[in-house]
């Protein structure tokens, strides 16, 4: 699985918070209502930003189990300043960590779990990994909230004819084979939705776009650099034009003249 720097995760946290589909929260509350304690597993937790966003939107006593393969990120997420302070109604929130490969989770590992949550994770899985995780969640009887999965659609303003070429190459990079794993990339939500439906669960999806403008110039520049870089890695013949394109777009960004809408989707599954 891809390793991310804490600085990148911190840079994107506010944009993530603004983008997540809040219309999916009430169905989560309804599913969790009446429980003495809510147990939430955050898969690929990074610095713990999803917990900081979600814990205060859910009532009742909560126990968060943060999963990641990166021990440094788990240490960061467990620090006093990173943990969510309280639930929506002021109830206690406790946090523990588990360093493990989340693709190996099975139903028995999820016993007693109320909600499985993740942010920006699905596109990094393969179809088989997604299917096994979905089956484990449905068998364990827990709800699932997957947020901010890339959908492959980007709109820049002002537009340029090279935007589509870079976007197509980036999407191909997201679907690449790495270490023998064929990543779902922008197809992740479609695949997950279909798997959960076949398992008889109730599934909803909602858009969760980043909307970046002059006030998010640092994030826009970092995202843009990674977006063009991945596209040129996938299609090296794009590199000469890609370098000039990136310099031009970064200059627009620095001048406050670039706006970007990067589409993501959120998915909620409630077991039958």
């Amino acid at each position: 699985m891809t390793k991310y720097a804490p600085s990148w995760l911190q840079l994107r946290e506010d944009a993530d918070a603004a983008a997540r589909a809040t219309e999916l929260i009430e169905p989560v509350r309804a599913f969790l209502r009446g429980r003495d304690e809510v147990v939430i597993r955050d898969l690929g937790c990074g610095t713990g930003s999803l917990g900081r966003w979600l814990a205060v939107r859910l009532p009742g006593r909560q126990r968060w189990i943060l999963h990641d393969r990166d021990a440094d990120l788990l240490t960061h997420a467990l620090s006093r300043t990173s943990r969510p302070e309280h639930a929506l109604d002021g109830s206690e929130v406790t946090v523990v960590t588990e360093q493990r490969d989340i693709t190996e989770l099975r139903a028995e590992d999820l016993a007693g779990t109320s909600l499985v949550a993740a942010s920006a994770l699905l596109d990094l899985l393969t179809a088989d990994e997604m299917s096994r995780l979905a089956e484990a969640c449905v068998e364990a009887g827990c709800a699932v909230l997957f947020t901010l999965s890339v959908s492959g659609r980007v709109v820049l303003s002002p537009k340029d004819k090279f935007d589509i070429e870079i976007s197509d190459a980036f999407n191909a990079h997201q679907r690449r084979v790495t270490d023998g794993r064929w990543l779902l990339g922008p197809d992740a939500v479609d695949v997950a939705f279909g798997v959960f439906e076949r398992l008889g669960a109730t599934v909803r999806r909602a858009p969760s776009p980043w909307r970046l403008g002059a006030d998010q110039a640092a994030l826009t520049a970092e995202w843009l650099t990674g977006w063009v870089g991945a596209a040129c890695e996938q299609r090296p013949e794009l590199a000469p034009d890609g370098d000039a394109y990136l310099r031009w777009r970064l200059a627009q960004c620095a001048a406050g003249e670039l706006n970007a809408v990067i589409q993501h989707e959120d998915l909620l599954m409630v077991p039958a």
Side-chain angles (χ1 to χ4, degrees):
M1 299 289 284
T2 304
K3 186 171 182 175
Y4 292 104
S7 57
W8 163 248
L9 300 176
Q10 291 164 353
L11 185 61
R12 63 176 288 170
E13 184 165 348
D14 288 346
D16 287 350
R20 289 191 178 98
T22 55
E23 62 265 36
L24 299 182
I25 299 304
E26 184 51 43
V28 174
R29 293 191 192 116
F31 178 78
L32 301 177
R33 192 168 292 131
R35 299 169 189 250
D36 292 334
E37 182 182 60
V38 172
V39 178
I40 303 172
R41 292 182 183 267
D42 183 357
L43 310 186
C45 66
T47 62
S49 63
L50 178 58
R52 290 189 289 276
W53 181 84
L54 185 56
V56 295
R57 289 168 169 81
L58 300 177
R61 189 158 52 95
Q62 300 172 31
R63 182 170 185 263
W64 282 74
I65 304 171
L66 308 184
H67 293 273
D68 209 289
R69 293 178 63 180
D70 189 326
D72 293 336
L73 288 177
L74 288 176
T75 299
H76 185 113
L78 197 58
S79 67
R80 182 180 60 83
T81 55
S82 295
R83 287 176 290 177
E85 295 181 356
H86 55 77
L88 177 63
D89 56 1
S91 297
E92 180 185 18
V93 176
T94 59
V95 180
V96 298
T97 62
E98 285 189 20
Q99 185 181 3
R100 67 182 301 170
D101 184 346
I102 60 94
T103 65
E104 297 177 355
L105 287 170
R106 299 298 179 261
E108 55 268 25
D109 301 313
L110 302 178
T113 301
S114 314
L115 175 69
V116 169
S119 183
L121 174 71
L122 288 193
D123 42 287
L124 301 175
L125 301 179
T126 69
D128 286 344
E129 290 164 354
M130 179 65 250
S131 294
R132 289 196 298 269
L133 180 58
E135 290 165 2
C137 293
V138 171
E139 185 177 339
C142 49
V144 167
L145 180 64
F146 290 140
T147 69
L148 294 167
S149 299
V150 296
S151 66
R153 298 185 298 276
V154 171
V155 177
L156 298 179
S157 179
K159 294 181 179 180
D160 184 78
K161 61 182 180 180
F162 204 50
D163 296 346
I164 293 176
E165 206 157 358
I166 291 292
S167 184
D168 288 346
F170 175 82
N171 290 339
H173 184 271
Q174 294 296 94
R175 297 183 177 102
R176 71 192 182 279
V177 176
T178 176
D179 296 328
R181 301 172 59 252
W182 190 350
L183 306 185
L184 287 171
D187 305 319
V189 173
D190 287 340
V191 171
F193 191 94
V195 170
F196 282 126
E197 276 203 323
R198 286 195 297 274
L199 292 171
T202 300
V203 202
R204 292 179 58 180
R205 58 199 292 181
S208 51
W210 274 359
R211 300 184 185 278
L212 307 182
D215 54 340
Q216 296 105 347
L219 174 59
T220 306
E222 190 73 15
W223 165 81
L224 189 65
T225 301
W227 186 60
V228 175
C232 293
E233 180 181 309
Q234 182 68 25
R235 292 180 53 195
E237 70 274 15
L238 295 179
D241 290 336
D243 289 343
Y245 172 85
L246 177 59
R247 289 194 298 271
W248 171 62
R249 284 301 198 187
L250 288 174
Q252 287 181 317
C253 182
E257 299 170 352
L258 181 65
N259 293 286
V261 178
I262 300 102
Q263 294 290 351
H264 306 87
E265 282 195 274
D266 292 1
L267 181 145
L268 171 66
M269 182 281 291
V270 177

